[in-house]
């Protein structure tokens, strides 16, 4: 299924979401924000008092939750679109996402999503390296640190998250060997999108 997937990975503030949505719109294909899935598990864990260090408990929670990611993020029938962006979630999500059991379950669902939609644009940290290593096109977006902080309100958290995401043993944030790397620091969204469409 990977041959119909466009993988867009990169750190927070690199412009992934905006660019991925625009590419999906241009191509008329489905779009999935995989970060919203890790955020959903984290939100419910915080709500239920499951420790962010409890890998087993978090993996069980991930397997148990019904997570729908689309225009809105809906978990077990509850709209959590705003809740998953809360500062508490920003602060905990990278720790939750580092547990192999959590990743195994969410990666499994992401592959299912790819099969159900017959491909599409998927945005995350490990789409090109782990979820769909045979993706049709792999894009890794970067941006200078100052610019990434400017684009985000939670600048301190972003730095910490990038450090955790890049150094975790399982599926660390990094560009796939065959990814095209685009530095978006001085590029407008349209220019980034145009470069990706050109590559296709
Ligand atoms: O939108 P932003 O770049 O701030 O982050 P996100 O895409 O919503 O992802 C939130 C967190 O989920 C990341 O910092 C990672 O810890 C984790 N994540 C991941 O591990 N793998 C993915 N494919 C997507 C997100």
């Amino acid at each position: 299924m990977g041959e119909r997937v466009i993988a867009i990975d990169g750190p927070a503030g690199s412009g992934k979401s905006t660019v991925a949505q625009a590419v999906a719109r241009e191509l008329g294909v489905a779009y999935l924000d995989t970060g919203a899935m890790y955020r959903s598990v984290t939100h419910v864990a915080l709500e239920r008092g499951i420790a962010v260090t409890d890998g087993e408990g978090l993996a069980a929670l991930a397997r148990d939750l019904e997570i729908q990611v689309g225009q809105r993020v809906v978990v077990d029938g509850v709209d959590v679109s705003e809740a998953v962006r809360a500062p508490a979630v920003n602060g905990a999500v990278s720790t939750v996402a580092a547990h192999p059991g959590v990743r195994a379950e969410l990666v499994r669902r992401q592959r299912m999503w790819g099969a159900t939609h017959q491909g599409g644009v998927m945005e995350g940290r490990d789409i090109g390296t782990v979820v769909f290593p045979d993706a049709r096109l792999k894009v890794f977006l970067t941006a200078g640190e100052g610019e990434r902080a400017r684009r985000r309100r939670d600048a301190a958290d972003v730095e910490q998250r990038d450090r955790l995401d890049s150094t975790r043993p399982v599926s660390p944030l990094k560009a796939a060997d065959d990814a095209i790397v685009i530095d978006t620091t001085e590029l407008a969204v349209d220019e980034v999108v145009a470069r990706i469409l050109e590559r296709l």
Side-chain angles (χ1 to χ4, degrees), residues 46-170:
L46 294 176
E47 226 178 33
R48 296 193 188 168
I50 301 173
V52 294
T53 49
D54 179 5
E56 287 296 315
L58 292 165
L61 177 65
R63 290 191 290 268
D64 189 48
L65 292 177
E66 195 210 320
I67 304 172
Q68 290 169 272
V69 177
Q71 297 279 43
R72 313 290 299 173
V73 184
V74 180
V75 177
D76 283 351
V78 180
D79 189 327
V80 295
S81 311
E82 275 82 39
V84 298
R85 303 280 152 201
V89 173
N90 289 337
V93 64
S94 289
T95 308
V96 171
H99 294 293
V102 172
R103 302 203 69 80
E105 173 60 16
L106 297 188
V107 166
R108 188 184 68 78
R109 294 186 188 201
Q110 289 155 19
R111 289 183 179 143
M112 257 172 37
W113 181 93
T116 316
H117 292 81
Q118 298 188 298
V121 178
M122 301 178 76
E123 170 210 335
R125 300 288 188 291
D126 61 341
I127 308 303
T129 51
V130 173
V131 183
F132 283 110
D134 58 340
R136 174 179 174 200
L137 181 68
K138 302 177 187 180
V139 180
F140 193 86
L141 298 183
T142 63
E145 224 172 272
E147 179 60 21
R148 293 200 291 116
R150 244 192 312 283
R151 291 176 188 172
R152 306 291 304 223
R153 263 175 295 169
D154 55 340
D157 269 348
V158 163
E159 243 177 78
Q160 163 84 344
R161 267 202 292 140
D162 286 344
R163 197 162 40 245
L164 291 173
D165 291 346
S166 308
T167 57
R168 68 185 174 216
V170 184

Side-chain angles (χ1 to χ4, degrees), residues 12-70:
S14 58
K16 282 190 314 291
S17 297
T18 319
V19 168
Q21 287 175 51
V23 170
R25 206 180 314 118
E26 285 291 325
L27 298 173
V29 300
Y31 157 74
L32 179 65
D33 169 12
T34 64
M37 300 173 75
Y38 291 93
R39 287 175 175 276
S40 293
V41 174
T42 304
H43 163 68
V44 177
L46 294 176
E47 226 178 33
R48 296 193 188 168
I50 301 173
V52 294
T53 49
D54 179 5
E56 287 296 315
L58 292 165
L61 177 65
R63 290 191 290 268
D64 189 48
L65 292 177
E66 195 210 320
I67 304 172
Q68 290 169 272
V69 177

